[in-house]
Amino acid sequence: PGLDVAGVSVADGEGVNDRPAGMAVFAIVHSRGRIGGFTHYTVAKVELHRVPLPVIEPPLRGAGWVAANGCCNSLIDHRGSLVSINGAMYDAQRFAIDWMRLNKDHEFVHGDPGVVANYTDYGVKVYAVADGTVVGTLDDLDNQIPGKQPDVSTITLQTVDGNHVILAIGHGLYAFYAHLKKGSVTVHKGEHIKAGTVIGELGNTGNSGAPHLHFHIMDGPSLTALGAQGVPYVIDGFTLAGQVDVQKFNASDVLTGHWGKRLATPTTQK
């Protein structure tokens, strides 16, 4: 089974292979009290993963999936989400994707955007991307009200990713699935599962303003899924069916309306 991607978020910026493996330097810029005068300070160095890229199955099935907030624009939420945890700097979400779904009319949501069940992707099955061992789950958080971001004062490191599953897939790598529907997680810690196993359903829990699947691969089993480094990966096959206008998507505060433009000839990527 593959993934029919009806819209892909693609923007100008750095590609996965634009940098050699090694140390990524992150700098913060301070004004030194004169107009136009800046000094760059290196505040952290982050080791980039050196192992071959993992090849995985898609975490979802069917048509109409949009890869939002994906690599490699440095301005998106994921690419620039460097955080300090326990005295170290991490960017677990560097190569993360927020998967959202369009219906046949190219709508993310049909009807009242404040009703979670009105979203095209809500409640769909989520799948294991590889054989592995479940090392962490959470399944008891309620959905957020969609159409707006949750109150940040209610979000902690333990709840930011909502209901989730962490799957050890070998070679020191871990697949992370976030914002799952309450009560839908079908696997438990310590369970060995095969690629393609249903692990839960897409929801709107944690720090989420609309139903989506946040997916990334990281180099450690951090239970917050933020205290590790993000790792690039390759999906073994999908059909590129169209594209959502990136500038329009980034400029909009709502998900209502019609999105995406289908390609005249969809292309299968292997």
Side-chain angles (χ1 to χ4, degrees):
L3 193 69
D4 182 0
V5 183
V8 180
S9 178
V10 179
D12 292 336
E14 298 174 274
V16 173
N17 297 316
D18 285 349
R19 299 170 180 239
M23 305 300 290
V25 178
F26 295 84
I28 188 169
V29 181
H30 294 278
S31 170
R32 297 302 296 268
R34 56 189 176 85
I35 296 176
F38 297 94
T39 300
H40 295 256
Y41 295 93
T42 298
V43 295
K45 291 184 177 181
V46 179
E47 182 72 18
L48 296 183
H49 215 72
R50 295 175 180 269
V51 302
L53 296 183
V55 178
I56 61 172
E57 293 185 9
L60 299 156
R61 302 287 189 268
W65 290 104
V66 176
N69 293 328
C71 178
C72 297
N73 183 347
S74 61
L75 299 179
I76 65 173
D77 294 339
H78 293 154
R79 181 75 167 178
S81 60
L82 188 72
V83 296
S84 174
I85 298 177
N86 295 330
M89 304 296 288
Y90 299 100
D91 193 352
Q93 302 181 89
R94 183 182 288 114
F95 302 103
I97 290 175
D98 286 337
W99 291 101
M100 305 174 71
R101 197 177 201 180
L102 295 168
N103 63 19
K104 61 182 178 59
D105 295 319
H106 291 192
E107 296 172 307
F108 289 115
V109 56
H110 182 75
D112 184 354
V115 177
V116 70
N118 288 344
Y119 287 77
T120 306
D121 55 9
Y122 180 69
V124 303
K125 291 180 173 60
V126 178
Y127 298 85
V129 297
D131 297 350
T133 301
V134 178
V135 297
T137 65
L138 184 64
D139 193 33
D140 59 3
L141 298 178
D142 293 326
N143 282 319
Q144 303 287 5
I145 298 173
K148 61 180 181 180
Q149 289 299 121
D151 181 351
V152 294
S153 68
T154 66
I155 303 297
T156 68
L157 274 177
Q158 288 69 41
T159 65
V160 63
D161 298 304
N163 299 321
H164 60 263
V165 170
I166 304 174
L167 181 66
I169 59 174
H171 304 288
L173 301 179
Y174 299 80
F176 180 70
Y177 309 76
H179 311 303
L180 300 176
K181 181 180 176 182
K182 181 179 180 179
S184 74
V185 174
T186 60
V187 296
H188 59 268
K189 186 176 180 179
E191 183 178 359
H192 301 280
I193 62 175
K194 292 290 187 180
T197 300
V198 175
I199 64 168
E201 297 176 5
L202 188 149
N204 191 48
T205 56
N207 187 34
S208 178
H212 69 283
L213 173 68
H214 171 103
F215 176 83
H216 69 246
I217 292 180
M218 55 190 178
D219 67 358
S222 170
L223 295 183
T224 67
L226 295 177
Q229 300 299 354
V231 177
Y233 52 91
V234 176
I235 294 176
D236 64 2
F238 61 90
T239 299
L240 180 59
Q243 188 171 26
V244 169
D245 184 285
V246 177
Q247 293 183 341
K248 178 182 176 182
F249 185 85
N250 290 340
S252 178
D253 293 327
V254 297
L255 292 173
T256 52
H258 300 270
W259 300 83
K261 182 178 181 181
R262 295 191 68 85
L263 298 176
T265 305
T267 58
T268 298
Q269 309 289 322
K270 295 287 188 181

